[in-house]
Amino acid sequence: DTEVTQTPKHLVMGMTNKKSLKCEQHMGHRAMYWYKQKAKKPPELMFVYSYEKLSINESVPSRFSPECPNSSLLNLHLHALQPEDSALYLCASSQRQGYTEAFFGQGTRLTVV
Amino acid sequence: SQKIEQNSEALNIQEGKTATLTCNYTNYSPAYLQWYRQDPGRGPVFLLLIRENEKEKRKERLKVTFDTTLKQSLFHITASQPADSATYLCALEGSQGNLIFGKGTKLSVKP
């Protein structure tokens, strides 16, 4: 199984809503990542978890809250988002942080209204 | 600061020709460089990784070169097909072990 599964595929939420994005991998990878991608831009790193501990937080606003319940799961909790937070949110994993290739999920297309 | 440039925002070629995409970097000496393919609305898909001590790497119709003196990687698709149309991203390892992506080159292969 070389898949990274993200749910939901699409999400529309209001600025006062609380929602969560979920990511799952069963490749035994110990590094997991959240990226944000705006239209016609490259993916931008948000968070890195290494061995279930937060390793990198790229100065992301606190309205985004990551969580890594176990080595296979990664969540991104969303609260009080702004319309400019609308983007494609990508989860990725790799054997370990900084090691070879990353496997990406299909992404969650988030629209904040 | 580390900078990655993919000089062409878009590249249009005829089916059967070789597509050549360029990735340049500055203020950096990466141990390896990677290329990814991304289709609209989908996550990037890993294609090839080349290490600093490798000059060239091949995979089927794909070829990547890595010139650490010029600080440049070239990505070639030979005998291109319309199905190769996508955005191609080069990526370097950042100082914290994360990937830093170039802006990408959108390749269009016309039949």
Side-chain angles (χ1 to χ4, degrees):
Chain A
D1 183 2
T2 57
E3 268 194 8
V4 175
T5 304
Q6 288 188 245
T7 55
K9 287 187 170 44
H10 301 275
L11 178 63
V12 179
M13 61 185 289
M15 289 189 282
T16 58
N17 291 159
K18 284 186 182 181
K19 296 285 184 184
S20 296
L21 309 185
K22 296 186 184 303
C23 174
E24 192 168 358
Q25 58 87 15
H26 296 288
M27 295 177 277
H29 290 174
R30 302 314 299 269
M32 296 187 77
Y33 311 79
W34 281 114
Y35 284 84
K36 173 182 177 179
Q37 188 174 27
K38 301 280 272 185
K40 298 189 187 300
K41 300 284 188 186
E44 290 182 355
L45 183 69
M46 299 175 72
F47 302 104
V48 180
Y49 273 83
S50 179
Y51 290 86
E52 295 133 67
K53 291 192 184 335
L54 185 63
S55 169
I56 298 176
N57 176 343
E58 289 285 3
S59 303
V60 179
S62 60
R63 56 186 185 267
F64 295 91
S65 175
E67 179 196 20
C68 189
N70 60 55
S71 60
S72 299
L73 294 174
L74 187 65
N75 298 322
L76 186 62
H77 303 297
L78 313 172
H79 173 55
L81 295 192
Q82 304 296 311
E84 59 265 29
D85 296 321
S86 299
L88 182 67
Y89 287 83
L90 294 162
C91 173
S93 71
S94 62
Q95 286 196 14
R96 57 180 183 271
Q97 188 173 340
Y99 181 83
T100 63
E101 72 263 31
F103 291 79
F104 282 82
Q106 298 285 34
T108 294
R109 172 69 62 189
L110 174 67
T111 303
V112 182
V113 297
Chain B
S1 61
Q2 300 158 354
K3 198 172 176 185
I4 304 167
E5 285 182 349
Q6 292 186 249
N7 295 340
S8 299
E9 202 171 301
L11 179 64
N12 299 312
I13 64 167
Q14 208 66 32
E15 183 176 7
K17 301 291 186 187
T18 295
T20 299
L21 286 63
T22 305
C23 177
N24 295 291
Y25 58 92
T26 55
N27 301 326
Y28 196 52
S29 296
Y32 58 78
L33 184 147
Q34 304 183 36
W35 285 89
Y36 287 78
R37 168 184 172 141
Q38 187 173 25
D39 292 286
R42 312 289 286 269
V45 174
F46 171 78
L47 295 175
L48 280 168
L49 179 150
I50 186 164
R51 301 189 186 281
E52 60 180 339
N53 60 348
E54 297 175 313
K55 293 282 188 222
E56 181 180 298
K57 203 135 185 204
R58 291 175 186 261
K59 178 183 174 184
E60 297 172 351
R61 294 184 295 111
L62 308 180
K63 184 177 89 171
V64 173
T65 63
F66 194 9
D67 189 325
T68 54
T69 302
L70 292 178
K71 294 187 180 293
Q72 181 181 81
S73 174
L74 298 179
F75 176 79
H76 307 271
I77 305 176
T78 57
S80 59
Q81 304 165 0
D84 295 326
S85 298
T87 295
Y88 291 86
L89 301 161
C90 78
L92 298 175
E93 182 190 8
S95 56
Q96 299 182 83
N98 53 299
L99 281 177
I100 302 173
F101 287 91
K103 289 185 178 179
T105 296
K106 184 175 180 181
L107 174 67
S108 296
V109 181
K110 304 296 183 188

